[in-house]
Amino acid sequence: MSARIHNIAVDCHDTYALAGFWAEVFECPRQPEDLPGDPEASLLPPGGPMVLFLAVPEGKTVKNRLHLDLSPTDRTRDEEVARLLGIGATHVADHRRPDGSGWVVLADPEGNEFCVVRSEAERAASAAPAGAAPSA
């Protein structure tokens, strides 16, 4: 028997605000019982484990030891990066390569880094032989 991820916990100062940012990232609602000032808040993103936001007194001081890599489902990596910057993410680093591979490092409003990689469709298109139509 193996283990599965029950939830991903994110330490933060403002659970409600950070859950709100990530609710927009995942395009899912906050839980109705979560209120401003609560010591925890959670999200249930489609297809993923619960994301739990926990209030802690200390601030983030160094690079995350664990981070999320996001792959957009209905847009390109570059479109997703633009959308996330528009909802409050900040740009940290750009590791996109001329061949289209690579990733972009962003941070949420409390400084937690995460990466945006190419969508499945973009990866499939780049793997198709030159001149061939990508498979569905």
Side-chain angles (χ1 to χ4, degrees), residues 4-12 14-34 39-55 64 66-70 108 112-114:
R4 67 175 181 83
I5 296 173
H6 175 70
N7 63 262
I8 297 170
V10 178
D11 290 348
C12 60
D14 187 337
T15 62
Y16 189 77
L18 200 58
F21 169 81
W22 284 97
E24 289 190 60
V25 170
F26 296 131
E27 296 180 339
C28 70
R30 286 187 188 110
Q31 297 302 298
E33 64 273 9
D34 293 337
E40 63 180 54
S42 62
L43 298 175
L44 298 169
M50 177 174 50
V51 182
L52 179 63
F53 300 89
L54 301 168
N64 298 11
L66 175 73
H67 70 266
L68 302 177
D69 285 352
L70 306 179
D108 71 18
N112 301 300
E113 295 94 358
F114 61 97

Side-chain angles (χ1 to χ4, degrees), residues 28-128:
C28 70
R30 286 187 188 110
Q31 297 302 298
E33 64 273 9
D34 293 337
L35 301 171
D38 282 353
E40 63 180 54
S42 62
L43 298 175
L44 298 169
M50 177 174 50
V51 182
L52 179 63
F53 300 89
L54 301 168
V56 297
E58 68 277 357
K60 181 181 171 299
T61 58
V62 296
K63 183 179 183 293
N64 298 11
R65 297 290 303 260
L66 175 73
H67 70 266
L68 302 177
D69 285 352
L70 306 179
S71 176
T73 58
D74 59 352
R75 57 185 65 93
T76 68
R77 174 194 54 215
D78 295 345
E79 291 167 338
E80 182 68 349
V81 167
R83 182 181 80 86
L84 297 173
L85 291 170
I87 64 171
T90 56
H91 183 268
V92 175
D94 193 331
H95 297 283
R96 289 177 280 197
R97 299 182 191 110
D99 68 357
S101 63
W103 63 95
V104 177
V105 183
L106 301 176
D108 71 18
E110 290 207 15
N112 301 300
E113 295 94 358
F114 61 97
C115 296
V116 183
V117 301
R118 292 183 299 171
S119 68
E120 197 171 304
E122 289 174 292
R123 289 190 302 275
S126 69

